[in-house]
Amino acid sequence: MAIDVRREVPAPRARGSFLSDPKFRSVLYQVLVVGGVILVGWYLVNNTLSNLARQNIATGFGFLGRESSFAIGEHMISYSAADSYGRAILVGILNTIKVSLLGIVAATVLGTIVGIARLSSNWLVRKLALVYVEALRNVPLLLQLFLWYAVITESLPGPRQALQPVEGVFLSNRGFKIPTPSDHPAWDAALLAFLLALVISWIVQRRSAALQARTGRRLPVGIITAGLVIGLPLLTWGGFGAPLVFDVPRLQGFNFVGGATLTPEFAAMLIGLTTYTAAFIAEIVRSGIQAVSWGQTEAASALGLRPGLTLRLVVLPQALRVIIPPLTSQYLNLTKNSSLAVAIGYADLVSVLNTSINQTGQAIEGVALIMACFLTISLGISIFMNWYNKRIALVER
Amino acid sequence: MTKKILLAGAALLSLGVASAAQAGPTVDAIRQKGFIQCGSNTGLAGFGNPDSAGNWKGLDVDYCRAYAAAVLGDASKVRFTPLSAQQRFTALQSGEVDVLARNTTATLTRDTSLGLEFAPVNFYDGQGFMVQKSLNVTSAKQLAGATVCVQPGTTTELNLADFFRANNMQFTPVVIESQDEVVSAYFSGRCDVYTTDASGLAGTRASVAPKPEDHVILPELISKEPLAPAVRQGDPQWKDIVTWVHYAMLEAEEKGITQANVDQMMTSADPTVQRILGVTGEMGKALGLDNKWAYNVIKAVGNYGEVFERNVGAQTPLRLERGLNALWTKGGLQYGQPVR
Ligand SMILES: N[C@@H](CCC(=O)N[C@@H](CS)C(=O)NCC(=O)O)C(=O)O
């Protein structure tokens, strides 16, 4: 234990030895501990490097610039085997972020619904939610991933017999193929219009809040937002003559070409991570809601609020303060669990770096990179959630 | 308190380091523990595969038995560590296994940057493609646009990308680490093609395919895969033993010494046979072994041809030809250096 030196009463130097001086001793101990840690660290690094050199194992990060020579199935930025290891790793990082972020959003939505269902006054809904939570959180995630992957690849037909639920949409064991808007200025303009609509809606929402604070009346925000977000892009697109230009997937040779693909690996990861984490989030949401005293609900209904509004305006905002810290942990867990991707062939950070480690033999560098990347992503999530936590805490009166 | 923990930590550390530094030559360590720890496949028919009773079988497995026979005089004194393609080199580097006999391709990068050394090639192979028969593909050149299942950390993964690049074709890789999972992804139809060493394709088709006749192995071999056992760098004696066990098995085949006749051969008048079997000369001693080392090897597993035929040859489900692996006298590449 460090002692706060400033508040120290001058120590009686009874026996005269400086060793019995508490101030000196506390400094001495701290110096010893820090020195020891540095020494051990230096020793380990030094030992590792000299051992690697003795065994003739390559070291250093020079490999990052070399050609990777391996292909990656799924990439958000352009990538080929002629690109560098560095770029391959970037592809992996982006894939990890993609599945983590989408998983976090989906798990939050699903978890909140299940958590509220756990408290439903309907017996069947309540029990179903309970079964969901207990079933999913008590089976190892890896098994669930294998299961989802097997369900997708084994139960869906091959590309030549693909199911076509809607014209142009195909479902096969190669994934879920959907048409995408092909290159046309109308689509770009519509996208811009959509973003603009979001901004305007946000302004309207703030105006409405200010208005409500002053006069107690609200603008019909929901209708305005919906109208803007749907109407504005539609109108813009119509202004270009409503061109129906799509890149529709079609069978060519072995597989579909064109359109966008949701691969079985990504789908299995996303479903697995979402449903698993949602079970934990449901419990957090349930306990958060239960932490809000029942009197709040009674007071709200005494004021004439309907149950739905009570939940949304009174209970959930207060529950959030209890929910956010453990929720942050679940977000971090989901992100770290995404490293199980390697088992079912989703090209996440770990999978790409494992391959790089094996092709270059540079395990220590590779593992260090994996740790650094996860640390960065996790810290990013933590910082954001802490910021959000502070923000909602400020509302407290 | 802190000091005590520090001290304990330091003591532990120095212990770990001391034992690592003093670990003598591999052979001493093997004699001391009484068995060889052999890095093997997690399950590849014909090369390294535990049967239902847990007995390991395969060409690489027999090599491990041969090393045990040479060093310890008893082919059963060997323990197997199943290793995936990704785990194998780290396992060898860290000393977890004494030797890696696991259909591993010798390449320049592996030789120079992984701190290991390759023994002579015990199986000349090449990479091939297996596809569903119903796709009516007859040549690898028709695979443009295909989805290909492959294991990471292999030369396979690299050759695959090279091949498609060289032929200006696109493909989608599905990369799964575990052999079981990647193979089941192929058989479930997730991929059009499964690619690995041709021997591995034969083994997988023979032992895992629900219906072997539904799958064809395309004629092209797209790479050279010289599969060789590997040891850690820095122990020349152990490397020599692993090397010469292979040559002795080749020499034995050339001289017609078999598992069955090795005892009669002890009385052979041929001086080469006498030297191999340790009747004359001090070949074993030069390797730091008993002079009966090669006798023990042949008695335990047979000569190279016998090991080949027993595990991957025409009478096995793999039905592989000797091909490149025939003796040099029969037009193959297996050329045993003289045991003298
Ligand atoms: N010879 C190639 C490929 C070796 C390899 O790992 N092949 C696969 C497919 S035949 C295998 O043995 N997998 C079994 C396992 O992972 O245990 C190399 O050395 O990179």
Side-chain angles (χ1 to χ4, degrees), chain A residues 118-131:
Chain A
R118 284 273 276 122
L119 298 170
S120 165
S121 50
N122 181 319
W123 182 88
L124 187 63
V125 170
R126 209 165 56 227
K127 290 301 168 198
L128 278 180
L130 177 69
V131 169

Side-chain angles (χ1 to χ4, degrees), chain B residues 41-44 83-85 88 102-105 110 151 154-156 179 194 196-197 200 225 227:
Chain B
N41 208 293
T42 61
L44 180 62
L83 296 170
S84 79
R88 57 186 156 172
R102 186 208 168 282
N103 54 316
T104 294
T105 308
R110 287 177 177 174
Q151 267 189 301
T154 54
T155 48
T156 318
Q179 156 96 346
Y194 172 53
T196 185
D197 302 340
E225 304 291 327
L227 308 183

Side-chain angles (χ1 to χ4, degrees), chain B residues 70-86:
Chain B
V71 177
L72 300 167
D74 182 350
S76 67
K77 296 268 167 59
V78 46
R79 295 192 189 168
F80 296 97
T81 307
L83 296 170
S84 79
Q86 294 223 344

Side-chain angles (χ1 to χ4, degrees), chain A residues 71-77 79 91-92 95 98 261-267 345-348 352, chain B residues 172-173 190:
Chain A
I72 300 179
E74 207 169 341
H75 40 87
M76 292 206 281
I77 51 174
Y79 170 83
V91 167
N95 281 344
K98 177 167 87 172
T261 315
L262 186 69
T263 64
E265 291 77 26
F266 177 74
Y346 177 66
D348 80 323
V352 171
Chain B
T172 310
R190 171 67 185 100

Side-chain angles (χ1 to χ4, degrees), chain A residues 29 32-33 36-37 40 43-44 47 54-58 67-73 80-82 146 149 153-154 156 158-160 173-175 254-255 263-265 342-346 351 354-355 357-363, chain B residues 2-3 6 13-14 17 85-90 93 109-110 112-116 134-135 137 142-147 152-155 157-158 161-162 165 171-177 181 184-185 188-192 232-233:
Chain A
Y29 282 151
L32 274 181
V33 170
V37 169
V40 169
Y43 174 78
L44 286 178
N47 201 40
R54 194 167 43 78
Q55 294 186 45
N56 265 322
I57 298 174
E67 182 186 283
S68 68
S69 305
F70 62 86
I72 300 179
S80 82
F146 279 139
Y149 191 52
T153 53
E154 303 272 355
L156 290 175
R160 291 179 191 189
N173 59 16
R174 300 304 156 81
F254 293 100
N255 212 338
T263 64
E265 291 77 26
V342 65
I344 57 168
Y346 177 66
S351 148
N354 268 352
T355 299
I357 287 174
N358 216 260
Q359 301 296 4
T360 59
Q362 293 182 273
Chain B
T2 340
K3 249 200 276 185
L6 263 177
L13 269 170
S14 59
V17 172
Q86 294 223 344
Q87 299 160 337
R88 57 186 156 172
F89 299 120
T90 335
Q93 286 168 348
T109 310
R110 287 177 177 174
T112 53
S113 59
L114 297 181
L116 52 77
S134 60
L135 291 174
V137 174
Q142 301 167 343
L143 291 178
T147 305
T154 54
T155 48
E157 195 184 12
L158 305 179
D162 282 0
R165 247 207 289 174
F171 75 105
T172 310
V174 173
V175 183
I176 303 182
E177 177 176 6
E181 292 297 324
S184 87
S188 78
R190 171 67 185 100
C191 302
D192 304 302
R232 269 183 302 286
Q233 259 176 29

